[in-house]
Structure formats: C-alpha cells, structure tokens
Amino acid sequence: MTATAVLLGFDAHPAALADLDRLPPAVQESAVTHLRTLVRAEQRGTALDRRGPWDLTGCRKLCLDDDKRWRLVYQERPARPLSPHPSEIYLLAAGARSGHEVYNTAARRLQLLTAGRFSA
C-alpha cells in the first residue's frame, strides 16, 4: 500500500458541502487538502469535548489557516454498510471559529443526526 492510499471513507452532512463552497478560496483549498490527508490517515484533528452549551465529544477539529480563524469539524466513525472502508471521516461543518460559529453549526447538525432527522 502506498502512502497516498485512501484508508478511510468520506461522507458529509448534506449542508457541510455547502459550507465548503462558502469558504474563501484559499481556505477552501486548504480544506480540500486537509480532507485528503484525513482519508489517507496522515493526520488527525484535535479531539473536542464540550464547547459552550454543546457536547462535541467524539468530534475533532482542524484549523484551516495560519490565523486559526477557519475550522473543519468532523467525526471518525464506522463506515456505512457496503463501504470498502472499515471507517470514515464524516464532515459535520466548515466555517469560522469566530463566535463559535463552526462549533454551533456542527452541534446542531449532530443533534439532528442523533435524532434521526437526517440520514447519515
């Protein structure tokens, strides 16, 4: 297996892909690069726990720029049935750290997923 082999699957909350589209172009490129390294298991983000009123235990974050203003929030979880990968990266949100925006968005989406309102 080469160092560039994809080891993990990838999935995203339906709105998380739209988040990526709204990022500034340079940050968007960084996000794509980070997602590639995640599915190749070449890096892992920092584990999260409680963020204000939200419990993001089981989620991870990655900073997308040198100023640490932009973040990805994702989960590492078992892959869906029929996936060729045992595990997957599940993108919950991409956005600004300011005002905990990205964390608030990720937490709301995680609650909806847990409640079964969106299919994973």
Side-chain angles (χ1 to χ4, degrees):
M1 191 176 312
T2 67
T4 59
V6 173
L7 301 175
L8 304 170
F10 176 80
D11 196 7
H13 185 280
L17 298 176
D19 292 349
L20 291 173
D21 286 339
R22 287 189 294 271
L23 294 174
V27 177
Q28 196 175 62
E29 282 184 41
S30 176
V32 171
T33 299
H34 281 291
L35 290 170
R36 283 185 186 134
T37 62
L38 285 172
V39 298
R40 292 176 182 152
E42 295 172 352
Q43 77 169 343
R44 292 180 85 193
T46 304
L48 294 171
D49 48 25
R50 290 203 69 84
R51 285 279 191 253
W54 305 109
D55 185 4
L56 292 172
T57 302
C59 296
R60 294 183 170 274
K61 70 174 180 181
L62 280 175
C63 297
L64 300 176
D65 63 324
D66 291 338
D67 296 330
K68 299 182 179 182
R69 296 184 330 183
W70 300 94
R71 308 283 167 96
L72 291 178
V73 176
Y74 71 94
Q75 293 178 307
E76 297 170 355
R77 64 185 201 178
R80 291 172 288 160
L82 305 177
S83 172
H85 306 285
S87 301
E88 69 183 11
I89 299 301
Y90 185 78
L91 181 63
L92 282 165
R97 177 185 180 267
S98 178
H100 300 279
E101 178 185 327
V102 72
Y103 303 119
N104 294 338
T105 299
R108 282 191 300 274
R109 291 174 183 167
L110 190 58
Q111 284 185 329
L112 292 173
L113 287 170
T114 303
R117 293 185 52 198
F118 289 103
S119 64

